[in-house]
Amino acid sequence: MRETSVWLKDKARRGGRGGQPGLDRDRVTGAAVRLLDAEGLARFSMRRLAAELKVTPMSVYWYVDTKDDLLELALDAVMGEFRLPEADGDQDWRDQLRVLAREYRGLLVRHPWVSPLAGTFLNIGPNYLAFSRTVQGVVRRTGVPEHRVTSVIAAVFQFVYGYGTLEGHFLAGVAASGMTPDDYYQHAMSAVSDIPQAAEVIEESKKIMAARGGGTVAEMMERDFEYALDLLTAGIEVMVARG
């Protein structure tokens, strides 16, 4: 994790003398998000961003000091996409937790570059703090003791992180192949079935999937995700009941 944060720096360049007319930090950040979505984290560079903005690379540095600063800004910007429930509202905590879990999963799938950046920064931007504040408020409403709040957060949101990351990787592979998700899945299963050392595992997997029921890849992913949330919710209820 970086020891410094763009949010802790006194200098917050947003335009003015030395900057580009019509350009500010928010526009630079928005362009960075679009470029990261289109080309991924590995290909992202300040030079590529400058080309998208039709300015010189040095002009971009008027608004941020480093590439890492810009990535941190981009990370917090997409966190602003969350539709956060009212932590102290009338909605049941179970429903609120599901909303937060679904929102986080959706974010990881829409922006695959977010996953490798998680934990890299201090995450103290306004949108991330709003998300964290809401999560803590909802988890407190479950009734778990104060010293177990972080454990519950870890159980739920590290699961969502893993699920959303793998789903994002899968869909990225699908997009690169030019296939539909269902065709891609069937092709992969067929290819792996031809490997002798994998045959037994694949056969067992097919039995499990047959028992689970048919449907599209999207339906299977949704069904598994929702059932996993049921398991986590039930576990929280059990632990609260135990006191």
Side-chain angles (χ1 to χ4, degrees):
M1 179 180 289
R2 295 178 66 212
E3 295 180 358
T4 60
S5 168
V6 67
W7 304 104
L8 297 177
K9 294 183 177 181
D10 294 329
K11 180 170 55 180
R13 297 168 174 170
R14 297 184 181 277
R17 185 179 178 183
Q20 292 290 322
L23 197 61
D24 57 23
R25 177 177 277 188
D26 289 340
R27 284 194 60 195
V28 171
T29 302
V33 169
R34 291 190 295 274
L35 190 59
L36 285 162
D37 286 345
E39 299 187 357
L41 183 61
R43 295 186 61 190
F44 180 79
S45 70
M46 300 297 265
R47 186 173 296 277
R48 283 286 298 114
L49 178 63
E52 287 294 311
L53 292 168
K54 295 180 172 58
V55 300
T56 65
M58 288 307 298
S59 296
V60 178
Y61 286 105
W62 177 256
Y63 304 98
V64 290
D65 289 335
T66 67
K67 176 182 172 181
D68 279 346
D69 283 352
L70 186 52
L71 290 174
E72 188 175 8
L73 290 169
L75 187 59
D76 194 69
V78 297
M79 295 295 287
E81 297 175 8
F82 283 133
R83 294 170 296 174
L84 300 177
E86 293 292 334
D88 56 353
D90 295 331
Q91 191 178 29
D92 186 88
W93 68 262
R94 298 162 186 81
D95 296 327
Q96 291 179 324
L97 200 62
R98 283 184 177 277
V99 168
L100 290 167
R102 290 168 183 154
E103 288 289 312
Y104 190 33
R105 173 194 173 194
L107 181 82
L108 292 165
V109 172
R110 290 192 303 274
H111 309 290
W113 53 271
V114 166
S115 294
L117 289 181
T120 302
F121 303 102
L122 292 177
N123 295 326
I124 56 174
N127 292 320
Y128 196 95
L129 290 178
F131 173 70
S132 296
R133 189 179 302 113
T134 302
V135 168
Q136 290 173 9
V138 169
V139 172
R140 282 192 173 94
R141 292 187 64 207
T142 66
V144 296
E146 191 76 9
H147 68 286
R148 296 303 185 196
V149 168
T150 55
S151 299
V152 173
I153 292 173
V156 175
F157 291 96
Q158 288 184 24
F159 151 70
V160 178
Y161 170 83
Y163 199 97
T165 297
L166 291 176
E167 185 177 4
H169 287 329
F170 171 77
L171 293 177
V174 168
S177 73
M179 299 181 186
T180 67
D182 294 329
D183 288 342
Y184 184 93
Y185 173 76
Q186 292 299 332
H187 173 76
M189 289 295 290
S190 176
V192 174
S193 296
D194 293 335
I195 303 175
Q197 60 267 34
E200 183 179 348
V201 175
I202 294 302
E203 282 304 311
E204 286 301 313
S205 297
K206 287 180 178 178
K207 291 178 183 177
I208 292 171
M209 286 182 283
R212 182 176 56 180
T216 66
V217 168
E219 290 171 339
M220 287 189 288
M221 285 184 169
E222 193 66 23
R223 189 165 52 221
D224 289 347
F225 183 78
E226 291 298 323
Y227 188 71
L229 287 182
D230 286 341
L231 292 175
L232 289 165
T233 301
I236 293 169
E237 292 171 339
V238 168
M239 297 307 290
V240 169
R242 287 182 181 178

